[in-house]
Amino acid sequence: MATLRQLEYLVTVVDGGSFTRAAELLHVTQPALSHQIRALERSLGGPLLDRLPRGVRLTPAGRAMLPHARAALADVERARSAARRASGLEEGELQLATVYSVSLGVLPPVLRVWRREHPGVRVRLVEFRHTGELRAAMAAGQADLAVGPPPGEWDGPVRVLGVEEFVVVVPADDPLAGGGADRVELSALADRGWVHYAPGNGLAEVLDGACAAAGFTPRVAVRTEQTAAAAPLAATGLGPALVPANVVPPRFDGRLLRPSPPVTRPLVAYARTRPDALASAFVEVLARHARTERGPGGNGTGDP
């Protein structure tokens, strides 16, 4: 039985002209996309796409299937629109608070889907450097919903979204990246100067804590205020950086290595009181589309 996600993937591959472009548009990995297309083809009894050196071409079965896939997706969108009108989700403003790293890596694909499904709803995004600042802002009622690390003791509803994975960024020609290795013990980097974060950035504590667990204090080569700057600075050879895997762009000159043991942190959505219809709808989009991980490669408990 074909799923709506598989149909969406098929249409996006056809419209994008390739698996690579479709994976970028859908914010999924190319292996995951290929797996879903193969599963769809197995369920239908034959190939839908010819994989060409440059792009794809529909098979006869694919040409027969495509209009039905588009029609099914259109029917779902009409149903969603009717439900939004009935629920008062067609317009308004959602006030969303988060930390810088989450706004870079987790939220963009979520906001893309949200915009498509709720085009009349404005989103006001408020970003903070540190989890403590985010928690204080939420306690003061500055936003409808927060997305970030767990806030500690919290009286309101909390929804677990997943676990955010961290990777070490080094230059593509770094000796530790040779031989196809994709893992590194942080202790092997104890004698290096690191691309570190400014003290007010919450990721500074993540790096210090991970290095302390590995038995050393990171020596600072350079500090950056900007979360997005850490990976590019590390790729130039200034020093390794520890970054959330999902903030690294798909096309990237550096090398990503998984720390051993892994460095992770949970991500949640939380609110002060029971959320209204808009915030509840956004949490459901978050739960479906939040991208908490991106694997290393070559270059590059209540419901709110």
Side-chain angles (χ1 to χ4, degrees), residues 32 47 58 68 105 108 163 182 192-193 219 227 257 260 295 302:
L58 285 165
H68 296 286
V163 176
D182 68 351
R192 300 205 190 182
R219 182 164 54 86
T227 300
L257 304 174
S260 180

Side-chain angles (χ1 to χ4, degrees), residues 10 68 79 82 110 115 130 154 160 176 216 235 238 240 256 287 295 298:
L10 173 65
H68 296 286
V110 176
R115 179 65 175 172
H130 193 280
W154 187 254
V160 176
L176 289 174
F216 70 98
L238 288 177
L256 310 185

